Amino acid sequence: MEIRYHGHATVELVIGATRVWIDPFLTGNPLADVAAPAAEADYILLTHGHSDHTADVLALAKKRGATVVATYELASLFGAQGVEIHPMNLGGAHRFPFGTVRLVPAFHSSSVEGPDGRPVYAGMPAGLIVEAEGKTLYHAGDTALFGDMKLIGELYRPDVAFLPIGDNFTMGPAEAVVAAEWLGKPLVVPIHYNTFPVIRQDADAFIRLLAERGIEGRALRPGEQITL
Ligand code: NI
Ligand code: MN
């Protein structure tokens, strides 16, 4: 599969002819390399409801009739707006035509902004395991470091892990290095940093920290792509 990073936590997978987007946040994302009208999605996988992960779900979903895959509550919020959905929940996997998606735990929160600006409950936050073409990808979503990442490493053995390093809202670089160890030393791509001043981080320093532990890291520039 081809994996393209679009800044923040937004990742696009091209698996054969199928385009799968994770946490589309292009509109309002100062790091985004593409504008929402130029993006094409067949499936949209969501880790949680916060706007820096879901800003362009409606625009993308309605364009080509893409299916939104998320926890029951979050999927239902989009379903009520006329979007095709596939609700799931933590621990569950489903085989889609392009591959298998599993929702795993994440320690964070999940809400969408209600009409009065207050947060509306959007179910549990999740991480995503995507298995396709014999490869396994882990997108941790927004999360603190938690011990069961060891279990994720043991059970699913990711080839690549997208880990937040921004701190403040998620774990920071030091915790992400521990996460990478517990996940079994996959290729690590840092996400959720430098989008806003409060999550500014030195990605090169993070890559060096990983290297000291014998872990390969790649800080992808927005628009950059790797093939797995
Ligand atoms: Ni969040
Ligand atoms: Mn976030």
Side-chain angles (χ1 to χ4, degrees):
M1 66 177 108
E2 282 171 23
I3 303 172
R4 277 179 210 145
Y5 180 56
H6 295 292
H8 201 59
T10 304
V11 177
E12 177 189 7
L13 313 178
V14 181
I15 304 165
T18 306
R19 284 166 192 273
V20 180
W21 282 70
I22 299 174
D23 287 2
F25 171 44
L26 302 172
T27 307
N29 175 358
L31 298 182
D33 62 297
V34 286
E40 303 275 358
D42 300 296
Y43 289 87
I44 301 168
L45 317 182
L46 301 177
T47 62
H48 66 296
H50 294 156
S51 60
D52 60 317
H53 299 258
T54 59
D56 292 299
V57 171
L58 279 181
L60 263 148
K62 293 200 167 171
K63 191 173 179 182
R64 248 161 82 155
T67 300
V68 170
V69 180
T71 55
Y72 173 79
E73 290 82 0
L74 181 56
S76 299
L77 286 165
F78 286 110
Q81 296 176 80
V83 170
E84 193 74 36
I85 59 168
H86 182 99
M88 297 180 66
N89 220 322
L90 301 187
H94 182 78
R95 198 172 187 150
F96 292 92
F98 65 86
T100 298
V101 176
R102 181 183 302 274
L103 298 195
V104 294
F107 270 75
H108 191 63
S109 58
S110 180
S111 58
V112 298
E113 198 177 309
D116 59 357
R118 288 191 215 186
V120 171
Y121 175 66
M124 294 279 281
L128 300 163
I129 301 280
V130 179
E131 292 171 17
E133 298 178 336
K135 300 288 183 182
T136 302
L137 173 151
Y138 172 48
H139 187 297
D142 283 4
T143 188
L145 178 67
F146 58 97
D148 279 356
M149 281 183 181
K150 285 180 191 168
L151 203 53
I152 292 172
E154 276 174 30
L155 289 176
Y156 309 120
R157 306 195 172 281
D159 296 291
V160 60
F162 287 79
L163 302 178
I165 65 161
D167 227 325
N168 194 80
F169 298 112
T170 67
M171 60 184 173
E175 293 78 16
V177 170
V178 177
E181 294 241 26
W182 289 351
L183 289 164
K185 303 191 174 188
L187 171 64
V188 172
V189 178
I191 58 171
H192 214 274
Y193 69 99
N194 286 358
T195 324
F196 311 108
V198 74
I199 56 172
R200 187 149 290 283
Q201 294 294 343
D202 182 344
D204 293 333
F206 173 65
I207 300 302
R208 285 197 296 274
L209 277 180
L210 290 169
E212 282 169 18
R213 314 253 188 134
I215 303 166
E216 189 188 349
R218 279 279 303 268
L220 297 178
R221 291 180 304 278
E224 202 176 344
Q225 148 178 340
I226 53 176
T227 301
L228 204 58

